[in-house]
Amino acid sequence: MNLTHDFSPTPEVDLASGKYVKIWHGPQHPGITGNMSLELTLCGDEIVNCKTHVGYLHRGFEKLMERRTYIQNFPLVCRIAVPEPTFNEYLYSAGIEDLAGIEVPELAKWLRCLNLELMRLGSFLMWLGGASGAFGMSTVYQWTVTHRDYILDLFEEMTGARIYHMYISPGGVRAPLPDGFKDRCLMVMKKVEKLLYEVETTVLNNAVFKKRAIGLGVISSDMVDAYGVTGPNQRAAGYARDTRKDSPYLVYEQLDFDVITATGSDAFDRTIVRYQEMHQCVSLIRQMLDRMPTDGAFHTPTPNVLHWKIPAGETYVKAECTRGEYGYYIETDGSEYVRRVHIRGPSYTHAIAVMEKLVIGANIADVAGLMVSLHTYPPEIER
Amino acid sequence: MKLKDVISPFYVWQRAFEKPYTNTKPIDTRPGADAYRGFHVNDIDKCVGCSSCQTICQNHAIDMVTTDKNSMPGDSGLRPRFDYGRCCWCALCVDICPSGSLHMSNEYAWVSDDPDSFRFTPGVDEKPWYQHEQGYHRDPNYNLLKLERAEMDMLSTEEGLKSFDEVVSGYNHEQAIAEADRCIECNICIATCPAHMDIPDYIKAIREQDLEEGLRILYKTNPFSATCGRICTHRCEDDCTISHLGKPLAIRWLKRYIIDQIPAENFARILQDSCEENGKKVAIVGAGPGGMSAAYYLRKQGYRVSVYEANKRAGGMLRYGVPTYRLPDDQLDKDIDYIISLGVTMHYETKVGIDIEFNTILDNNDAVFLSTGLNVPSNLRITGEEHPRVVSGLQVLFDTASGNNPNVGQKVAVIGGGNVAMDAARVSRRFGADVTVLYRRRLEDMPADPEEIKEATEEHCHFVTQAIPVKIVPADNPNQAIIHWGEAEMVDDGKGGRPRPILQDDKMHTETYDTIISAIGQSGDYSFLSESIRNDLSLKWHKFEVDDRQRTRIGNIFIGGDVANEVADAVSAIADGHNAAIGIHQYISEKV
Amino acid sequence: MIEALKQRLSEHFQLTNLTIKNAGLAFLWVEKHELEMLLRQLRDFEGYTHLSFIIASDHIEKNQFKLTYMLHNYDTKHDLGVHVDISRVNASMHSIHPLWAQAWTYQRELKEMYGIDFPESPRVDEDFCLEGWDDMPPMRRDFDTVKYCEEHFDDRDGRATEENRQTMKVNIYPERGE
């Protein structure tokens, strides 16, 4: 590891000199993923300084959770990351189960895993649209969001809601799969696969996109650990690290997949990695629909949730979300309330430390593209 | 740069003429999925207003409001009102609903320019989506409530029949915690309990393993907890909210668990009942549950309490009517001895009206509480019932409790369907007799506790229902009697009440028995009261008329227990005693 | 594996406690002044190159904050949480911003949410999420969110609820019981 990194934020420049102009990129900006803003200092159209500002989405979840019973937190956590609520549901439940010593039935593991992979695909589709949009191809955005809607239709059937599924609850899941779900899901997978090839044609083989994305925002290999980079951002830099493989959870051990990597570590390679991971999602979903048990228990009864006390303890559970390491640190103190919950989202470092570093020297027009290529969700920074 | 990269983006035109996936509301609508979590639906006839939905709601979106439903035992009359400004449609309320009344429709669109309209009471305010078939219903295999009881260890039927040992073993620690965990603290049971005990509170004390606090909670409303923990009619369990979908909580056994864990010698330290003398005197006639309960609460207020009891020991029907396999003597003594230890003066074997005049007692005390109980067995009112082999159920139980063998013989008939009949039958079984129970109506009409009927059946008591005794004649053997009984036909009374049994003359049976036990009811003996007092007290259907604090028309006389209340069970007598103590305290305080 | 690690670390550091949660997760406690050196050791020589997060939890009953530095070793796939207990009074901690790039953001957040100072940490006094906040650091356990809301916001009119215990007493047995 390179021990000579200087991690200090970039120094302030002398605004009075007249050479610089300061602009706000966000919190309302089509190129911003969610509500956050970059305070950019420009010299010409080149960025010399950047500060990430968050707080527009701060809802104090971690504090709220300390005031709610264990079951009451279950419908709350999904709101932490809007495009990917399921990871919160899963990790919260997994953490609680770990601390309370609850074993989840086999079917529930498969259903959870299916839910997570569908969510990953849906989230990637939305991201793919955003990435295309940020590089000027809004048409593709319409396609991908439509296809995400097909997935939301599946969620609606499976969980009873489109966005905030509230499906994975401590102990298992809330309901088995509805009749005929497998066929409908496979049909959607077919549609998505077709779309992916179209996206490959129109975006990944697009001269403009290549021109702009290749070489943009390179995360050097020694930055990865020093900046805590995880997920596709890390894999695009050549690291074959994936929580699903390294510390397998749910049923990933029983599924066939490889960790996808690239070497360029720029906006283009990150897109490629994610693009391939979407194909991987489709494959994983098909494998699961094929292999999962069709009946059996899907929920282990918990103690009475109205006065459920969990012995004092602490745990850290994590999963590979679309952006990287998503984790829940949960500390209990024996009461009916959780003592401390911390939600570790990969965007915390991607959107602040990494972004502030990568954006220096970039062109103002590429900021949106760079940001999208890091795939950041502000709500998981602020929680 | 490859030429392909320049050309391929034009591929986007391929989808230019595709139909969009969005739909054009209101021209076409898209219904929610089958299990969509849409707007709430509540079957208000099924709902019991337990507030569990309100308790679990993490958004405070639910208020419990008064509707045109009346409060009654088992139903608070309140119904949930949803504030859709706060609701997040998580459906925890549906998942927890113990009556199964609440679910969600798949409707998700509701447009209104009045923000207050989004606050509504499902089932009460008319909404179009109540008819929707689809929507979120809790999956039957997903349950937040525990519907099954914790297992209770019991003697096997064969073991039980061998002796008068207690049949129910009582919960151990794990069983009690598991059972206490099922409680949802809805408070519905409190209204049903005649003594209005703080049931959810003492169950919570068990959960939190603070049994001393549990004991204090019990004694706030019931000084006979060891007794009630065993033989209470537990009407609270009939109205337990969990019983709508599962087995009700074993409230009675949880109460017993608290008492069983605390040795009698610790009661004084835990309860800290100080009895600061106030110089006033109250007399109590009858040392049954009603009288002793009144004695406890009066003594706590500082009254000098004298109790007059005809029998050798205190307890009344609990001692002389309830067999020891249901209520062992030492457990009854645990309750009674603590009350007496507070300084209650007991006059045993003192029959009021014979050993001491009632007026003397009345004159020497500031107030009197009468709780003499029903101890005169009712007659069968058929010819031949004066036969020596016809005995009353009460007599059999009294003899057994006093340590005398009632000598029922080998073949016994019990006439009646109440608890006394069941007890007499089961006692006779324990003395080795074959027992036949003759009851004039159907099994479901029996006034006895279903548990008692079940256990009597298990102990091989033979039930003959719709059997009306007609006459009893002497048998050849002077130690036997012959009963003539006829089959009855159940006839609708035409008024919607329970059907009446009508004797069918052509279906008569005769059978010879060693003993015929009559247990068809009992009444009170009020001969110790003078004519004028009896008239002033106003008797109605052989029971005294009293108000909620057991007051009578004579200011210093209070009456409670079986001679005053309709249900005539132990816990009602205990409640009467408690209320009489409050009434007496009010009366004496106001008089001064 | 973790036992061997403990052995090696114990040669240089006063480890006050170690709990092994499962094969992939353990927590250890270290004294405040040894933290930075320990983290360096773990990062440079033990393979714990990845910092997942830094958080505090408020142990108000012990008058302490418990800081947690969650590290990950990509080779052994092991998570290691390093705990440091610091006093709640004038809470302050050494900055580890020279070790990981994201550390100063976490430290800025801890300053804002718990009032724990990291004197050398860059931009530590800048607002993170709470612009213009003038109350107690809100993640402290003695900050009462409900009270704050009651003081600063109004409820909408028209909400009223009844308690069924009381309702049933009034309607069914007003004159019975206590």
Side-chain angles (χ1 to χ4, degrees):
Chain A
M1 158 176 269
N2 185 351
L3 301 179
T4 58
H5 270 294
D6 177 15
F7 298 134
S8 308
T10 40
E12 297 283 341
V13 293
D14 178 16
L15 285 175
S17 67
K19 273 171 71 183
Y20 305 101
V21 63
K22 194 169 241 192
I23 65 161
W24 286 78
H25 192 274
Q28 281 90 34
H29 185 280
I32 290 284
T33 51
N35 299 22
M36 63 179 256
S37 65
L38 301 176
E39 183 189 349
L40 301 171
T41 310
L42 302 169
C43 180
D45 66 354
E46 188 190 315
I47 290 143
V48 295
N49 194 358
C50 169
K51 276 186 182 178
T52 302
H53 288 267
V54 295
Y56 309 97
L57 290 166
H58 177 67
R59 289 152 292 174
F61 280 110
E62 291 176 359
K63 182 83 179 176
L64 287 175
M65 288 170 79
E66 291 175 17
R67 297 182 31 83
R68 280 165 167 74
T69 59
Y70 292 108
I71 192 77
Q72 286 182 328
N73 279 329
F74 136 73
L76 185 71
V77 290
C78 52
R79 283 153 204 283
I80 293 165
V82 187
E84 271 182 45
T86 300
F87 286 91
N88 290 286
E89 292 179 16
Y90 163 62
L91 288 171
Y92 174 71
S93 298
I96 294 301
E97 286 151 9
D98 184 23
L99 290 165
I102 294 172
E103 194 58 49
V104 177
E106 185 64 15
L107 177 60
K109 287 185 187 165
W110 285 89
L111 289 171
R112 284 178 171 194
C113 205
L114 178 67
N115 204 306
L116 289 178
E117 285 305 318
L118 278 170
M119 188 76 262
R120 184 189 313 276
L121 187 56
S123 177
F124 268 146
L125 281 169
M126 193 158 145
W127 168 84
L128 190 56
S132 319
F135 288 102
M137 292 165 286
S138 321
T139 313
V140 176
Y141 181 84
Q142 318 240 359
W143 300 351
T144 59
V145 168
T146 298
H147 282 72
R148 173 173 175 263
D149 254 54
Y150 296 143
I151 292 176
L152 297 189
D153 288 350
L154 292 175
F155 276 130
E156 187 179 329
E157 262 189 68
M158 181 179 184
T159 69
R162 297 174 72 80
I163 305 286
Y164 295 131
H165 312 140
M166 300 166 188
Y167 180 64
I168 300 176
S169 71
V173 296
R174 263 173 131 176
L177 283 184
D179 291 339
F181 181 85
K182 183 179 170 184
D183 296 339
R184 288 188 290 277
C185 189
L186 288 173
M187 211 135 73
V188 172
M189 288 308 113
K190 220 169 173 177
K191 283 187 194 171
V192 170
E193 215 161 37
K194 178 167 176 274
L195 171 90
L196 287 178
Y197 289 116
E198 289 172 4
V199 169
E200 187 180 347
T201 314
T202 50
V203 181
L204 302 182
N205 290 326
N206 183 325
V208 178
F209 178 67
K210 280 186 171 173
K211 185 101 182 123
R212 289 184 65 182
I214 292 176
L216 175 65
V218 176
I219 299 175
S220 63
S221 156
D222 63 342
M223 263 178 83
V224 167
D225 281 357
Y227 280 75
V229 179
T230 53
N233 293 344
Q234 178 188 42
R235 292 194 280 275
Y239 290 90
R241 295 167 177 172
D242 187 322
T243 314
R244 288 175 291 178
K245 266 277 189 257
D246 296 345
S247 322
Y249 51 98
L250 295 173
V251 297
Y252 284 110
E253 254 174 328
Q254 302 172 51
L255 303 174
D256 305 320
F257 68 105
D258 294 315
V259 179
I260 291 161
T261 56
T263 48
S265 200
D266 54 9
F268 186 78
D269 269 19
R270 290 197 282 271
T271 309
I272 296 290
V273 167
R274 292 194 184 101
Y275 170 77
Q276 289 176 351
E277 286 192 7
M278 290 168 78
H279 278 294
Q280 188 179 62
C281 279
V282 173
S283 150
L284 288 172
I285 290 166
R286 283 185 178 144
Q287 291 179 39
M288 280 188 275
L289 288 173
D290 250 12
R291 297 185 200 168
M292 68 192 295
T294 46
D295 50 8
F298 55 86
H299 185 260
T300 305
T302 59
N304 189 334
V305 295
L306 295 178
H307 36 66
W308 186 6
K309 291 182 177 177
I310 293 180
E314 59 181 336
T315 192
Y316 179 59
V317 286
K318 57 183 183 175
E320 187 75 21
C321 76
T322 56
R323 288 140 286 138
E325 176 194 354
Y326 207 79
Y328 266 57
Y329 169 84
I330 302 178
E331 185 181 343
T332 49
D333 57 7
S335 73
E336 290 172 23
Y337 301 95
V338 64
R339 186 55 179 248
R340 177 80 167 95
V341 182
H342 174 70
I343 298 126
R344 195 268 178 206
S347 304
Y348 196 94
T349 174
H350 292 169
I352 302 177
V354 177
M355 184 70 193
E356 288 183 5
K357 166 97 175 164
L358 294 187
V359 81
I360 303 296
N363 187 299
I364 177 77
D366 287 332
V367 172
L370 170 57
M371 177 149 208
V372 172
S373 82
L374 292 173
H375 199 186
T376 57
Y377 285 162
E380 70 192 27
I381 304 171
E382 309 164 20
R383 312 176 300 278
Chain B
M1 187 176 298
K2 291 184 228 157
L3 182 64
K4 184 180 157 238
D5 290 352
V6 180
I7 296 167
S8 71
F10 291 98
Y11 186 83
V12 292
W13 287 102
Q14 188 194 294
R15 281 185 185 260
F17 300 102
E18 220 167 80
K19 196 175 161 289
Y21 190 54
T22 48
N23 59 19
T24 44
K25 196 153 175 80
I27 297 165
D28 44 52
T29 50
R30 175 191 173 281
D34 278 0
Y36 190 77
R37 295 196 305 269
F39 302 138
H40 290 83
V41 182
N42 192 14
D43 181 345
I44 55 161
D45 294 327
K46 242 168 135 187
C47 177
V48 296
C50 70
S51 310
S52 300
C53 47
Q54 183 188 36
T55 309
I56 203 166
C57 180
Q58 56 106 2
N59 278 333
H60 294 296
I62 301 177
D63 290 326
M64 297 305 292
V65 298
T66 318
T67 60
D68 54 5
K69 291 275 169 194
N70 291 326
S71 295
M72 55 179 160
D75 180 359
S76 73
L78 302 174
R79 293 295 179 265
R81 184 177 178 83
F82 288 75
D83 183 351
Y84 274 4
R86 298 193 69 115
C87 180
C88 73
W89 291 275
C90 64
L92 277 183
C93 50
V94 177
D95 287 352
I96 197 77
C97 181
S99 68
S101 69
L102 199 62
H103 67 272
M104 282 167 153
S105 77
N106 67 337
E107 180 59 63
Y108 57 86
W110 178 0
V111 182
S112 166
D113 54 9
D114 172 17
D116 286 336
S117 71
F118 295 108
R119 222 183 272 131
F120 82 114
T121 313
V124 175
D125 303 333
E126 249 343 288
K127 296 292 171 200
W129 55 79
Y130 294 162
Q131 308 314 323
H132 286 217
E133 291 267 312
Q134 291 92 357
Y136 180 78
H137 295 253
R138 182 178 58 77
D139 191 282
N141 295 316
Y142 176 78
N143 223 326
L144 296 183
L145 301 170
K146 291 229 188 68
L147 300 179
E148 291 303 320
R149 274 189 177 187
E151 200 81 32
M152 169 62 86
D153 301 329
M154 289 177 147
L155 289 186
S156 68
T157 308
E158 292 69 36
E159 282 297 310
L161 278 177
K162 280 184 196 157
S163 70
F164 281 82
D165 287 349
E166 194 169 15
V167 174
V168 177
S169 314
Y171 277 138
N172 63 27
H173 177 78
E174 285 72 32
Q175 291 165 331
I177 297 284
E179 186 62 18
D181 187 52
R182 297 173 64 218
C183 177
I184 54 170
E185 295 175 88
C186 65
N187 295 332
I188 293 285
C189 48
I190 300 172
T192 306
C193 174
H196 307 301
M197 297 190 73
D198 302 314
I199 297 164
D201 296 351
Y202 68 71
I203 294 180
K204 185 177 181 188
I206 296 175
R207 267 201 316 275
E208 312 214 317
Q209 306 186 27
D210 187 358
L211 297 182
E212 301 197 349
E213 176 62 18
L215 189 76
R216 285 189 284 270
I217 295 168
L218 292 178
Y219 267 77
K220 261 164 58 182
T221 43
N222 186 345
F224 271 92
S225 294
T227 302
C228 283
R230 288 173 166 78
I231 55 99
C232 185
T233 42
H234 60 79
R235 275 174 282 151
C236 50
E237 293 181 19
D238 300 342
D239 282 341
C240 175
T241 308
I242 303 288
S243 71
H244 294 278
L245 295 178
K247 290 258 173 11
L249 258 92
I251 298 172
R252 176 174 63 169
W253 288 337
L254 287 173
K255 174 158 51 217
R256 168 178 169 174
Y257 172 75
I258 298 178
I259 293 286
D260 280 0
Q261 306 314 306
I262 301 176
E265 57 268 26
N266 293 354
F267 278 27
R269 172 184 60 79
I270 296 165
L271 294 172
Q272 298 278 335
D273 284 323
S274 59
C275 306
E276 217 167 292
E277 301 291 338
N278 66 10
K280 305 284 178 193
K281 292 193 290 184
V282 178
I284 292 169
V285 184
M292 292 310 287
S293 162
Y296 173 72
Y297 291 105
L298 287 165
R299 190 66 200 121
K300 270 179 65 169
Q301 305 266 19
Y303 292 92
R304 295 220 61 93
V305 180
S306 317
V307 181
Y308 297 89
E309 168 58 45
N311 287 316
K312 261 188 203 157
R313 302 180 69 184
M317 277 298 166
L318 296 177
R319 189 177 304 277
Y320 295 105
V322 181
T324 52
Y325 56 84
R326 289 174 61 207
L327 174 61
D329 269 355
D330 56 338
Q331 294 303 323
L332 178 60
D333 288 338
K334 197 172 181 180
D335 286 335
I336 289 174
D337 289 350
Y338 177 68
I339 298 171
I340 296 174
S341 76
L342 296 180
V344 176
T345 312
M346 301 298 295
H347 303 273
Y348 295 116
E349 296 187 273
T350 307
K351 271 206 154 93
V352 178
I354 295 171
D355 301 317
I356 182 169
E357 280 306 313
F358 180 69
N359 282 340
T360 320
I361 295 175
L362 200 55
D363 295 342
N364 289 342
N365 289 281
D366 296 278
V368 175
F369 177 58
L370 300 181
S371 173
T372 48
L374 306 176
N375 39 26
V376 182
S378 305
N379 293 330
L380 288 169
R381 278 181 285 177
I382 55 175
T383 51
E385 69 169 298
E386 57 289 336
H387 189 283
R389 290 321 303 156
V390 179
V391 294
S392 73
L394 282 183
Q395 191 60 45
V396 171
L397 297 175
F398 184 90
D399 287 347
T400 311
S402 312
N404 306 322
N405 189 330
N407 295 322
V408 289
Q410 289 305 308
K411 201 171 168 201
V412 171
V414 176
I415 298 169
N419 281 335
V420 173
M422 294 306 114
D423 287 340
R426 294 176 65 190
V427 162
S428 304
R429 284 290 295 135
R430 279 167 173 71
F431 283 114
D434 276 337
V435 177
T436 305
V437 177
L438 299 174
Y439 179 56
R440 56 196 293 123
R441 295 168 196 267
R442 298 164 302 177
L443 205 59
E444 60 263 40
D445 298 319
M446 278 199 180
D449 290 346
E451 276 172 24
E452 281 248 49
I453 298 172
K454 177 171 162 280
E455 283 167 22
T457 313
E458 284 168 3
E459 292 175 6
H460 310 298
C461 295
H462 178 54
F463 282 80
V464 179
T465 52
Q466 289 169 246
I468 300 179
V470 178
K471 62 179 176 184
I472 291 164
V473 294
D476 296 342
N477 182 340
N479 290 329
Q480 288 185 327
I482 297 170
I483 185 165
H484 290 253
W485 60 271
E487 287 180 28
E489 189 184 21
M490 301 308 289
V491 177
D492 196 338
D493 72 343
K495 286 178 250 162
R498 65 174 186 170
R500 281 155 40 86
I502 302 292
L503 181 68
Q504 290 172 290
D505 294 328
D506 54 338
K507 292 183 179 167
M508 295 298 294
H509 301 261
T510 40
E511 195 68 61
T512 310
Y513 291 103
D514 293 333
T515 306
I516 295 169
I517 300 173
S518 95
I520 57 163
Q522 58 248 29
S523 57
D525 174 6
Y526 310 128
S527 57
F528 64 93
L529 297 172
S530 69
E531 187 78 31
S532 68
I533 289 183
R534 234 185 297 170
N535 288 339
D536 284 350
L537 287 177
S538 140
L539 269 164
K540 203 175 175 187
W541 296 107
H542 299 288
K543 301 230 174 186
F544 291 104
E545 270 193 280
V546 293
D547 73 357
D548 282 340
R549 295 294 188 205
Q550 314 305 129
R551 300 179 192 100
T552 62
R553 294 197 196 160
I554 303 174
N556 56 348
I557 299 184
F558 294 74
I559 302 182
D562 292 358
V563 293
N565 66 47
E566 285 304 319
V567 283
D569 61 5
V571 67
S572 302
I574 292 161
D576 285 355
H578 186 193
N579 282 290
I582 297 169
I584 289 169
H585 183 61
Q586 278 172 1
Y587 165 74
I588 294 179
S589 311
E590 281 161 18
K591 205 173 69 171
V592 172
Chain C
M1 176 193 78
I2 182 74
E3 290 296 340
L5 171 71
K6 186 190 174 192
Q7 208 66 46
R8 288 197 298 279
L9 292 177
S10 298
E11 289 171 19
H12 309 285
F13 303 96
Q14 292 253 305
L15 305 182
T16 46
N17 198 357
L18 172 85
T19 54
I20 297 169
K21 181 84 190 144
N22 53 48
L25 177 63
F27 294 93
L28 59 82
W29 272 257
V30 71
E31 292 293 333
K32 182 178 172 180
H33 64 273
E34 290 192 330
L35 175 86
E36 194 186 344
M37 283 312 295
L38 176 76
L39 293 186
R40 258 182 211 285
Q41 176 87 8
L42 287 169
R43 185 189 70 160
D44 296 342
F45 301 104
E46 300 293 350
Y48 288 87
T49 52
H50 174 61
L51 173 72
S52 283
F53 59 82
I54 309 172
I55 57 151
S57 59
D58 188 352
H59 288 240
I60 189 167
E61 68 281 1
K62 289 192 275 184
N63 204 21
Q64 277 177 343
F65 288 122
K66 182 173 87 177
L67 294 174
T68 307
Y69 298 76
M70 185 61 70
L71 308 180
H72 181 67
N73 184 332
Y74 279 113
D75 300 325
T76 58
K77 327 287 184 208
H78 190 261
D79 285 310
L80 181 65
V82 179
H83 288 314
V84 180
D85 291 329
I86 62 169
S87 167
R88 241 173 142 263
V89 186
N90 297 324
S92 143
M93 185 62 200
H94 312 295
S95 170
I96 60 154
H97 71 276
L99 296 178
W100 281 281
Q102 70 272 38
W104 66 264
T105 316
Y106 280 109
Q107 289 169 173
R108 183 156 68 116
E109 181 180 344
L110 289 175
K111 174 90 190 248
E112 179 177 88
M113 292 294 175
Y114 284 92
I116 302 170
D117 198 12
F118 293 85
E120 314 92 47
S121 187
R123 287 166 61 182
V124 73
D125 291 316
E126 279 180 28
D127 288 331
F128 184 63
C129 286
L130 310 172
E131 215 169 81
W133 183 258
D134 57 0
D135 212 308
M136 174 197 306
M139 282 298 285
R140 287 183 178 227
R141 280 187 82 83
D142 42 355
F143 177 76
D144 185 342
T145 45
V146 173
K147 185 162 152 276
Y148 182 87
C149 288
E150 281 165 357
E151 283 166 6
H152 289 76
F153 308 103
D154 291 324
D155 278 335
R156 264 189 70 195
D157 291 336
R159 290 286 300 268
T161 188
E162 280 186 53
E163 209 265 312
N164 58 12
R165 186 175 190 157
Q166 192 55 29
T167 305
M168 288 177 90
K169 175 163 171 58
V170 169
N171 291 340
I172 303 178
Y173 56 101
E175 292 293 319
R176 292 284 275 184
E178 287 286 346

